Amino acid sequence: MKTYKKTLRIALSVVCLIIIISTASYFVFRDSILESAISRTSSKIKSDYNSTFSVKRASFDGISGIYLNEITLAPKNADTLFKIQRIRTSLNVGRLLVGDIQLGTLEIENGYVQLTKKGSVKNFAAFLKRDRNEPTTSNKKDYADFTYRLISKVLNLIPTDMRIENLTFKLDDNGKKATIAIQKLVLANKELETAINVQTNTFTQRWRINGFADPRNKKADIQFFNIDTNAIKVPYFDERYNLISSFDSIRLNIENIDKSRGQLHIDGFASIANLKLNHKRLASKDVLIKNARFDYRLLLGSNFISVDSSSTIQFNKVKFHPYLAYETEKDTVYKLKVKIPKTKAQDFITSLPDGLFSNFQGMEAEGNFAYKIEFEYNQNKPDAIIFDSSLQKENLKVIKYGAANLVKLNSEFIYRAIIDNVAQRPVLIGNANPNYTTMDEIAPSLKKCVLTTEDPSFFSHQGFINEAFKQSIVKNIKTRKFSRGASTISMQLIKNVFLTREKTLSRKLEEILLVYILENNRITTKERMLEVYFNIIEWGPNIYGIGEASQYYFQKRPIDLNLNECLFLARIIPSPKKFMYQFNDQGLLRDFASKQVSFLTNLMIKRGLLPIEDTIYKSQPLYITGPAKSLIKVSARDTTAIDSLDLNDEFNF
């Protein structure tokens, strides 16, 4: 036993001696080690990024502190990326011994960081390139583990005590400039205090970020606001993307970041007050969201990333539960589910963002509703898309309409098409207009042709066709652009009578909601909707309605149109002003147009809308005889040949 104790004492003495010698050596040589590390970093940055990294003076400060003076990073032949006069920081020695870098304190004084683009030269371009030593392929990541390690590393680099003074962030994108000057940023005793000045080519403001931040326990609750009277404006985006945006305040709360049983849980909430947006793709006017809040629960596993369905998004008085997921266990699958619990209809209407639903202002409704939608897309099986939605109603009824008074469809009204924000000539939709055509005065073949091309299930659907939406989504995903829509005649009617033709999110959302109200509240009949549709749609340059169209092309009444003429009129609805390009210099249909006719004909035969014996029209060419003929470029033909043909025809009984 005595031998054991003696041996243990000797061993402890040796360990202590090693620690003392190592510590002494560390203090003797640590400045040299620091200088060597800076030198290696400088050489690597020069060789890998063609940039110069320099530190005028570097030394240790106390046991774990590091002091750096005049730190500069400058790419060759480009603006300096950053230059900082003084940095003082300390490291957690205990964490350093296990291989983690964790900042204890941080002080930064007098400096700037700038991103510039002059012509095509970017001072940060070299640092965006892939590291040539980085493998181009890698094994599938464990999303939970990877994200947790990344978050931990980032939070370890946020010091528990921090003081930044006179640090400026500059952005110059070919003259589009933004400067964020941090006069003071202090984190002490987990409390955050800031003073920030912002200046762009268009505005100057003073911002504040206050709140609570505890990076070691992975918690935060901070608020971002403007100390001036006006709202915070988002810099750079207005000039770069023509997106004008502002808000009164933003609050971000991180309540919990925890990894257990192979899953990472991130919980908290974010809120924003009086968010204002203006962009030509969004709406024609300012869009205002008065109050919005997102109570989030993010879940990550080894092969999925998701927003859990227990999360809640609230816009004013309306709440809904989103579920989003990205899964890679077998195939790459995207999922989206949205559930709106039982909600008062009037609360929904009054909660719609101002400017995004202008036609709903003043609308009143009673009753309740609940709604859910489900979308699933498998990247490896694109045609097996899932798209379903359902609405549950409880005494739901519109009792007062807003700007879009849908009831007017049942009586005479003046229609004026809007093209490029310009109102076109007025067209009376009613019997007082000599060109107005009732359903009984339209050739049955034309009704069949138009329904086949535009909306085959018009009389059976309630405004929308789920299958058409599915196919539209698949086509748009495959082509990576909006190449196919899914508009029904109901949607076209709403768009033409009550909305503009602007391609904005606002217009599309209003169209969807108005179509639902029209189709599900028995405001008018399907027959009346179709009759109005035939009398308002554009069928050529400044030609509105089938009454004008039949005269413009064929000098006939709509009831007298033959099948050939009906097929032509149905096909030109998508691009009526380009009808003339379907004809060659002989005044006959081009090959592509003839193929369209054959396709439409065969489709109608297959659906039982056209008897085979009616296809005798195929031996008869299509002639444009009305005023539209002047827009078709026909080459002069040999007079002798024409006379000869006419003579033969005259005696060919």
Side-chain angles (χ1 to χ4, degrees), residues 19-36:
I19 293 174
I20 292 171
I21 293 173
S22 299
T23 303
S25 299
Y26 167 72
F27 279 101
V28 171
F29 297 108
R30 64 178 186 168
D31 286 340
S32 298
I33 294 173
L34 180 59
E35 291 176 5
S36 177

Side-chain angles (χ1 to χ4, degrees), residues 586-599:
Q586 301 299 312
L588 302 176
L589 287 177
R590 297 180 185 273
D591 288 343
F592 80 87
S594 296
K595 290 178 181 178
Q596 289 178 354
V597 172
S598 295
F599 176 81

Side-chain angles (χ1 to χ4, degrees), residues 246-446:
S246 65
F247 55 89
D248 285 352
S249 64
I250 285 181
R251 184 178 177 185
L252 176 63
N253 175 279
I254 301 174
E255 182 63 31
N256 174 60
I257 299 177
D258 176 62
K259 185 173 180 289
S260 61
R261 298 179 181 178
Q263 289 191 353
L264 174 62
H265 304 253
I266 304 175
D267 304 279
F269 69 85
S271 63
I272 191 166
N274 289 324
L275 173 63
K276 184 182 291 186
L277 301 168
N278 188 304
H279 191 273
K280 64 179 181 179
R281 294 298 184 190
L282 183 62
S284 59
K285 57 182 71 174
D286 289 344
V287 174
L288 176 64
I289 300 175
K290 295 178 182 178
N291 290 288
R293 176 174 169 133
F294 179 26
D295 290 271
Y296 60 85
R297 181 172 178 79
L298 308 180
L299 297 179
L300 294 86
S302 60
N303 49 40
F304 73 88
I305 301 171
S306 70
V307 176
D308 189 69
S309 58
S310 61
S311 303
T312 302
I313 295 178
Q314 180 172 351
F315 287 100
N316 301 324
K317 297 181 181 180
V318 175
K319 293 183 179 180
F320 61 91
H321 301 289
Y323 171 76
L324 296 106
Y326 171 74
E327 301 176 355
T328 58
E329 182 176 8
K330 295 180 179 178
D331 297 329
T332 300
V333 180
Y334 302 87
K335 294 181 179 180
L336 167 66
K337 295 180 183 179
V338 176
K339 181 179 180 181
I340 302 179
K342 185 178 178 180
T343 301
K344 291 182 179 179
Q346 190 59 37
D347 284 346
F348 177 79
I349 291 173
T350 56
S351 295
L352 294 173
D354 295 345
L356 199 59
F357 296 91
S358 300
N359 283 287
F360 286 79
Q361 291 182 354
M363 182 178 286
E364 296 179 8
E366 58 185 22
N368 306 303
F369 76 94
Y371 177 77
K372 62 180 180 180
I373 185 172
E374 180 178 0
F375 168 79
E376 183 175 319
Y377 176 74
N378 188 323
Q379 187 172 296
N380 300 322
K381 302 173 184 176
D383 294 322
I385 194 169
I386 295 175
F387 181 86
D388 292 307
S389 65
S390 63
L391 181 78
Q392 294 179 338
K393 299 180 290 184
E394 183 180 275
N395 302 318
L396 186 62
K397 183 180 180 182
V398 177
I399 57 178
K400 181 182 177 182
Y401 291 94
N405 183 10
L406 301 179
V407 178
K408 84 173 186 179
L409 289 174
N410 291 320
S411 58
E412 287 190 351
F413 63 93
I414 299 295
Y415 169 67
R416 301 190 72 163
I418 306 295
I419 301 177
D420 295 331
N421 295 321
V422 177
Q424 306 301 300
R425 64 180 175 88
V427 177
L428 175 65
I429 306 303
N431 292 324
N433 178 357
N435 288 312
Y436 184 79
T437 308
T438 64
M439 291 300 291
D440 293 337
E441 298 171 320
I442 299 174
S445 294
L446 182 61

